[in-house]
């Protein structure tokens, strides 16, 4: 897996109020103690924005990172309903997800908007997780690679080589999210190798070699080891299983 440090990120989506969220975060922090000593992997929790500060406080003193599930490009302003990268940092967060398929599909976020969010988060010092992925129809029509390439090129437009050190790409086939259907390890590896190739074309090979590419889509304790054994898979973005401390801790401790 080259020198890339694995990242296991939990996307809690719109689940958990403060008390339950802090309990979950504390259980994860307790269960991931060994991760600190290993040093070959990082853990990121992305709770709902309302409990970001509480969750960040509950894991302070551990190496667990906390992030937002989406972020605005501006530091502040008249953007009703949004949270800014400055606010994420003020709450104790260090990262943000952008481009999740639920944002794309349910809230009609397009590549241009995702590009703005990504660049804004980077400009304000956040670690940014950029989600991309094809729908089932797009896969069946043989359009997986052009879709991934289009999403990547548009989202990364204007991002500098230096900023790329803080970009993590998450390949999340839409048909595998929350469905219990996981891409096979071969399907995932093929997509990841393709994504790395596109990053090499946009920037350069050395940048692509350092870029972490996570797999997301029904990652569970039972499939994480074979996924993580693939050359171009550098971690996982975990939805459903991130709400179960035992399952998430096992995923973090992939072999
Ligand atoms: C996600 O929401 O990013 C995700 C991958 O969800 P799940 O693990 O439940 O498929």
């Amino acid at each position: 897996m080259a020198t890339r440090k694995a990242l296991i990120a939990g996307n809690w989506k719109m689940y958990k109020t403060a008390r339950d969220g802090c309990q979950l975060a504390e259980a994860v922090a307790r269960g991931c103690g060994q991760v600190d000593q290993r040093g070959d992997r990082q853990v990121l929790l992305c709770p709902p924005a309302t409990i970001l500060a509480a969750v960040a406080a509950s894991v302070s003193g551990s190496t667990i990172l906390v992030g937002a599930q989406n972020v605005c490009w501006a530091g502040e302003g008249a953007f009703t309903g949004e949270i800014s990268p400055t606010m994420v940092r003020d709450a104790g967060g260090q990262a943000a997800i952008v481009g999740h398929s639920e944002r794309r599909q349910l809230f009609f976020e397009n590549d241009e908007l995702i590009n703005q969010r990504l660049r804004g988060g980077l400009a304000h010092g956040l670690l940014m997780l950029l989600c991309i992925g094809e729908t089932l129809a797009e896969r069946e029509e043989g359009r997986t690679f052009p879709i991934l390439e289009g999403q990547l090129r548009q989202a990364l437009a204007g991002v500098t080589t230096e900023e790329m050190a803080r970009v993590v790409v998450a390949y999340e086939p839409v048909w595998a999210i929350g469905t219990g259907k996981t891409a096979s390890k071969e399907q995932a590896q093929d997509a990841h190798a393709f994504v790395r190739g596109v990053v090499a074309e946009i920037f350069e090979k050395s940048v692509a070699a350092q870029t972490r590419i996570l797999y997301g889509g029904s990652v569970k304790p039972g499939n994480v080891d074979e996924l993580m054994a693939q050359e171009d898979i550098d971690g996982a973005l975990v939805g459903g299983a991130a709400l179960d401390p035992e399952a998430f801790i096992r995923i973090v401790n992939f072999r």
Side-chain angles (χ1 to χ4, degrees):
M1 211 165 46
T3 55
R4 300 182 293 269
K5 192 182 259 204
L7 176 65
I8 306 293
N11 171 17
W12 292 3
K13 310 196 188 205
M14 201 174 71
Y15 294 100
K16 302 293 176 192
T17 48
R19 199 185 60 172
D20 290 352
C22 289
Q23 272 176 9
L24 173 57
E26 283 158 17
V28 169
R30 276 195 304 276
C32 293
Q34 325 82 297
V35 168
D36 294 6
Q37 286 136 38
R38 274 199 195 135
D40 65 343
R41 56 196 75 187
Q42 277 180 312
V43 179
L44 167 67
L45 301 179
C46 297
T50 49
I51 64 167
L52 190 64
V55 168
S58 74
V59 298
S60 72
S62 79
T63 55
I64 294 183
L65 304 173
V66 177
Q69 296 173 16
N70 205 3
V71 75
C72 190
W73 52 91
E76 62 179 8
F79 299 98
T80 302
E82 291 283 320
I83 58 163
S84 81
T86 316
M87 290 166 178
V88 172
R89 294 189 63 166
D90 182 55
Q94 301 100 329
I97 298 171
V98 289
H100 193 278
S101 66
E102 287 152 16
R103 299 301 315 174
R104 293 176 189 263
Q105 297 204 316
L106 303 174
F107 301 96
F108 310 108
E109 294 202 8
N110 61 22
D111 290 308
E112 198 187 331
L113 177 57
I114 291 160
N115 171 254
Q116 277 185 285
R117 292 189 184 283
L118 180 76
R119 291 171 65 189
L122 289 170
H124 288 88
L126 294 177
L127 173 74
M128 297 299 294
L129 269 68
L130 165 65
C131 300
I132 58 170
E134 81 288 0
T135 63
L136 184 59
E138 289 162 346
R139 175 164 281 269
E140 285 174 350
E141 289 159 11
R143 296 199 293 131
T144 298
F145 287 177
I147 292 290
L148 297 181
E149 178 161 4
Q151 291 177 349
L152 264 179
R153 286 190 182 276
Q154 291 179 76
L156 294 175
V159 172
T160 66
T161 300
E162 291 69 39
E163 286 174 331
M164 262 318 270
R166 282 186 286 114
V167 174
V168 175
V169 179
Y171 168 60
E172 298 209 304
V174 179
W175 48 272
I177 297 179
T179 58
K181 280 188 205 155
T182 319
S184 68
K185 56 185 193 304
E186 294 82 8
Q187 284 172 322
Q189 167 57 27
D190 279 358
H192 282 231
F194 176 78
V195 167
R196 199 174 303 286
V198 176
V199 173
E201 277 175 23
I202 301 174
F203 298 93
E204 51 188 86
K205 233 175 157 188
S206 60
V207 173
Q210 293 306 319
T211 301
R212 291 183 287 181
I213 307 173
L214 314 187
Y215 170 77
S218 299
V219 174
K220 305 273 182 257
N223 59 23
V224 67
D225 295 339
E226 65 172 19
L227 288 163
M228 288 305 298
Q230 304 307 303
E231 194 182 334
D232 288 293
I233 300 186
D234 306 314
L237 180 52
V238 185
L243 299 172
D244 172 353
E246 208 178 303
F248 189 70
I249 291 163
R250 171 61 185 88
I251 291 170
V252 169
N253 285 291
F254 70 85
R255 301 183 182 108

